[in-house]
């Protein structure tokens, strides 16, 4: 373990005071870091705490990507190299096993409607280095080697068990396994032995089943949701029906844990606008009660105990990063932590079950990302490490909120990132609209924005109409405005910055991914002479084809209706599809797309490339082999960034 001990020193782990770090002045003459510092996955991607405060860390140590485990005294116990696999999360089962959740993109073959799908697996990494790493279901030929949901871990008779949904397989006479149409079932897995036992069947009649597991490992309740008629049915572990009702057409019903005293189960009902209402239903039967009526604000998230699934707190829609616990003593400690890191854009991202130790991340001005552990009992803070140590405080571009008025008078908030050490005057601009589009950007270190800022560009990330940074009415203003007001909301930001003298409006490019990729294509086809160039990553170019494909691959009619409500009528989609308007492209465009994208198919970029080629318009197409929609791989994410920066610098040089 000597190499691991030396690696810990490289991470810069050290005790630090709870007080905020002193401000560091930006240095104008410092050379920018290499693009690798921005484009590669950060040195720390995720951290998890065990019940006793042991640390599991996903990140790079001495250049090798691994899951590293430290004991309560922060001494290394074991590690597992993970290379370039797509890790989605890490978490502890007790004190001796770390569960690594990963996904893989796989080809489905001719029997399936879709070409590809993303499959999830759970890797079990023991603290004891003499024991092997294994994968749930991997050695069981009666279950597909993938899990379809995780329902937590429970300690039963001194053994840890994990609960996973899996797809039952049949054995052919040849010995090969095949899928025969059985619904997803629930399995209990002995985590030490990695041995699975089927404990419940799944829903029939095309329903989706959701389970809640009691602290003793028994099934407390399960809910079946039937998408075809929007009906849900709730039963307890003894199969007694507790409640049934209907959701709205685009709604959903799911379980969210048990009540505080454990006598009831919590049901979350999501409506067409993605708003959630919370209800409790007694496990032995009785009337349904709406929760949080006495709370001032809209409850967005419910927190539950890790091992009993009883409610311990919640978070409000207006403050999603500020957990509110029912235990007043713990809530007082949380409040102090939030206040202590407020100036550093601090967020509580995890805690031990007793909430005496908390994980905090900070990032923003002078901070490219820091992970810390706060011990509320001892009143101390320990710095776990830095996400991007190559980007020193003085090299972080200034971040602020820039507010302006759209052409029709609507107020738009945008995140403005400026080049470090450079006067904010007549700068070249990179317009960087977010994906979604029902999402939003907020103040903080954004690796993509900071990469462009480090090369001398101002970067604007508008929360255009349809974004989620304000109320539902603001979200609804985006309905039917793809390629229209959602698009001009972006270019109105250029005019506002130009009026302040911050940017030169004739030196702007537009760059984006997913919906932002669509906006980049639309910026040079639906608009004219606004941008010098465009970079579209995993963007949608043919809206009608995209919506039809979703429906043909199993999407519901309500999903298709939702697309028509938000994008616009199907009859008008061609008029706002960049691929249909390729002959009007007014600037060069770079198309970048992951070959394994299961959200926006790779063909959306090849269609646009073919149309641009036919029209004799300048374009480039870069294929990211093995990459998905989320730029999960370090090497291909860096390739995307390098190509995007190269293209923008070619057509819109900063100097």
């Amino acid at each position: 373990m000597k190499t691991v001990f030396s690696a810990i020193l490289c991470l810069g782990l050290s005790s630090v005071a709870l007080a905020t770090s002193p401000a560091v002045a930006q240095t104008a003459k410092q050379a920018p870091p290499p693009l690798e510092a921005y484009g590669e996955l950060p040195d720390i991607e995720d951290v998890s705490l065990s019940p006793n405060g042991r640390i599991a860390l996903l990140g790079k140590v001495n250049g090798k990507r691994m899951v590293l485990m430290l004991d309560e005294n922060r001494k290394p116990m074991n590690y597992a190299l993970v290379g370039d696999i797509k890790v989605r999360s890490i978490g502890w089962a007790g004190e001796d096993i770390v569960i690594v959740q990963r996904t893989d993109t796989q080809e489905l073959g001719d029997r399936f409607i879709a070409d590809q799908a993303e499959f999830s697996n759970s890797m079990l990494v023991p603290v004891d280095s003499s024991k092997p790493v294994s994968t749930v279901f991997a050695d069981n030929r009666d279950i597909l080697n993938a899990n379809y949901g995780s329902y937590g871990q429970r300690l039963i008779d001194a053994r840890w068990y994990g609960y996973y949904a899996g797809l039952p397989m049949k054995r052919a006479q040849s010995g090969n396994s095949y899928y025969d149409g059985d619904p997803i079932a629930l399995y209990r897995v002995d985590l030490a032995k990695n041995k699975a036992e089927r404990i419940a069947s799944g829903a029939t009649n095309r329903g989706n089943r959701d389970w809640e597991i009691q602290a003793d490992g028994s099934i407390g309740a399960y809910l079946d949701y039937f998408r075809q008629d929007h009906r849900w049915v709730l039963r307890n572990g003894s199969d007694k029906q507790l409640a049934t009702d209907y959701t709205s057409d685009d709604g959903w019903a799911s379980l969210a844990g048990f009540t505080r005293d454990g006598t009831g189960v919590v049901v979350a009902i999501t409506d067409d606008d993605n708003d959630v209402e919370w209800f409790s239903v007694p496990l032995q039967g009785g009337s349904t009660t709406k929760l949080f009526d006495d709370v001032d604000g809209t409850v967005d998230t419910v927190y539950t105990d890790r091992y009993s699934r009883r409610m311990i707190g919640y978070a409000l829609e207006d403050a999603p990063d500020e957990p509110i616990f029912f235990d007043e003593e713990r809530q007082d400690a949380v409040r102090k932590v939030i206040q202590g890191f407020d100036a550093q854009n601090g967020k509580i991202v995890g805690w031990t079950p007793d909430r005496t130790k908390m994980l905090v991340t900070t990032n923003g001005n002078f901070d490219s990302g820091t992970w810390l552990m706060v011990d509320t009992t001892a009143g101390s803070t320990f710095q776990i490490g830095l996400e991007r140590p190559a980007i020193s405080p003085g090299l972080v571009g200034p971040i602020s909120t820039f507010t302006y008025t759209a052409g029709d008078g609507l107020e738009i908030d945008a995140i403005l990132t400026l080049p470090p050490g450079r006067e904010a005057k007549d700068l070249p601009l990179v317009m960087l609209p977010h994906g979604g589009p029902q999402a939003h950007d907020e103040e903080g270190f954004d690796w993509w924005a900071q990469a462009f800022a480090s090369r001398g560009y101002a970067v604007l990330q508008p929360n255009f109409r349809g974004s989620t940074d304000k109320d539902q009415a603001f979200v609804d203003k985006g309905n039917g405005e793809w390629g229209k007001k959602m698009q001009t909301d972006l270019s109105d930001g250029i005019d506002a910055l130009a009026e302040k003298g911050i940017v030169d409006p004739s030196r702007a490019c537009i760059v984006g991914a997913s919906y932002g990729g669509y906006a980049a294509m639309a910026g040079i086809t639906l608009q004219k002479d606004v941008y010098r160039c465009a970079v579209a990553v995993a963007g949608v170019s043919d809206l009608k084809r995209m919506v039809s494909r979703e429906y043909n691959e199993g999407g519901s009619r309500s999903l298709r209706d939702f697309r028509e409500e938000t994008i616009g009528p199907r009859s008008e989609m061609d008029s706002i599809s960049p691929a249909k308007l390729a002959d009007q492209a007014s600037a060069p465009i770079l198309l970048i797309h992951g070959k394994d994208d299961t959200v926006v198919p790779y063909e959306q970029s090849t269609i646009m490339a073919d149309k641009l080629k036919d029209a004799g318009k300048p374009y480039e197409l870069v294929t990211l082999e093995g990459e998905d929609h989320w730029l999960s791989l370090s090497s291909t994410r860096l390739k995307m960034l390098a190509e995007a920066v190269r293209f923008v610098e070619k057509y819109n040089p900063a100097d």
Side-chain angles (χ1 to χ4, degrees), residues 17-32:
L18 183 59
T20 58
S21 301
V24 180
Q26 293 178 341
T27 305
K29 297 186 181 301
Q30 282 183 278

Side-chain angles (χ1 to χ4, degrees), residues 356-423:
T356 59
K357 295 181 178 66
M358 299 189 182
L359 284 174
V360 175
T361 61
T362 65
N363 75 88
N365 287 305
F366 306 111
D367 184 358
S368 59
T370 305
W371 286 79
L372 308 104
M373 184 174 73
V374 179
D375 187 326
T376 60
T377 301
S380 62
T381 300
F382 169 75
Q383 179 176 302
I384 297 172
L386 305 175
E387 290 188 6
R388 297 174 178 84
I391 305 174
S392 61
L395 294 176
V396 177
I399 309 158
S400 62
T401 298
F402 180 78
T403 300
Y404 61 94
T405 303
D408 63 353
L410 186 66
E411 187 176 274
I412 305 292
D413 292 331
I415 307 304
L416 176 63
T417 303
L418 296 171
R422 183 166 176 172
E423 184 182 5

Side-chain angles (χ1 to χ4, degrees), residues 160-410:
W160 280 99
Y161 292 87
Y163 295 80
Y164 297 93
L167 193 64
M169 304 291 283
K170 294 286 180 65
R171 295 269 191 99
Q173 290 185 348
S174 63
N176 294 325
S177 299
Y178 66 97
Y179 175 56
D180 196 36
D182 288 344
I184 290 170
L186 182 66
Y187 296 85
R188 185 177 79 163
V189 179
D190 183 327
L191 298 177
K193 296 180 179 180
N194 193 12
K195 184 178 180 180
E197 171 193 6
R198 180 168 170 168
I199 62 172
S201 299
T204 56
N205 300 322
R206 300 180 65 184
N208 293 285
R209 180 162 292 181
D210 195 14
W211 290 274
E212 282 294 351
I213 309 299
Q214 300 267 30
D216 64 2
S218 64
I219 297 173
Y222 65 93
L223 183 147
D224 290 339
Y225 183 73
F226 301 95
R227 171 64 77 178
Q228 64 268 28
D229 61 359
H230 317 294
R231 178 173 57 93
W232 59 271
V233 180
L234 175 67
R235 292 181 172 87
N236 65 15
S238 301
D239 284 333
K240 177 181 179 179
Q241 181 170 311
L242 303 178
T244 184
D245 206 342
Y246 293 85
T247 69
S248 56
D249 287 353
D250 293 311
W252 191 261
S254 60
L255 298 178
F258 297 107
T259 55
R260 295 171 63 182
D261 61 5
T263 62
V265 64
V266 179
V267 179
I269 305 297
T270 305
D271 65 16
D272 291 351
D273 295 326
N274 214 32
D275 291 329
V276 183
E277 289 189 320
W278 312 88
F279 300 89
S280 67
V281 183
L283 287 172
Q284 299 307 314
S287 59
T288 298
T289 303
K290 187 176 180 181
L291 299 173
F292 305 118
D293 272 348
D294 58 340
V295 172
D296 185 14
T298 301
V299 173
D300 184 65
T301 303
V302 165
Y303 296 115
T304 60
D305 177 78
R306 189 184 304 180
Y307 301 125
S308 72
R309 285 286 288 169
R310 293 187 181 188
M311 272 200 308
I312 58 173
Y314 58 90
L316 297 176
E317 185 178 55
D318 294 338
D321 301 315
E322 299 180 11
I324 300 171
F325 293 119
F326 300 129
D327 185 310
E328 293 185 5
E329 181 181 353
R330 300 301 178 218
Q331 182 56 30
D332 184 58
V334 167
R335 189 177 298 109
K336 290 178 180 177
V337 171
I338 292 172
Q339 292 173 349
F341 289 100
D342 183 60
Q344 298 160 287
N345 195 31
K347 297 177 182 178
I348 298 174
V349 294
W351 48 77
T352 55
D354 62 5
R355 276 92 73 198
T356 59
K357 295 181 178 66
M358 299 189 182
L359 284 174
V360 175
T361 61
T362 65
N363 75 88
N365 287 305
F366 306 111
D367 184 358
S368 59
T370 305
W371 286 79
L372 308 104
M373 184 174 73
V374 179
D375 187 326
T376 60
T377 301
S380 62
T381 300
F382 169 75
Q383 179 176 302
I384 297 172
L386 305 175
E387 290 188 6
R388 297 174 178 84
I391 305 174
S392 61
L395 294 176
V396 177
I399 309 158
S400 62
T401 298
F402 180 78
T403 300
Y404 61 94
T405 303
D408 63 353
L410 186 66

Side-chain angles (χ1 to χ4, degrees), residues 4 34 310 325 342 386 445 509 529 555 558 582 639:
V4 177
R310 293 187 181 188
F325 293 119
D342 183 60
L386 305 175
F445 185 95
C509 283
D529 299 327
S558 61
K639 181 178 180 180

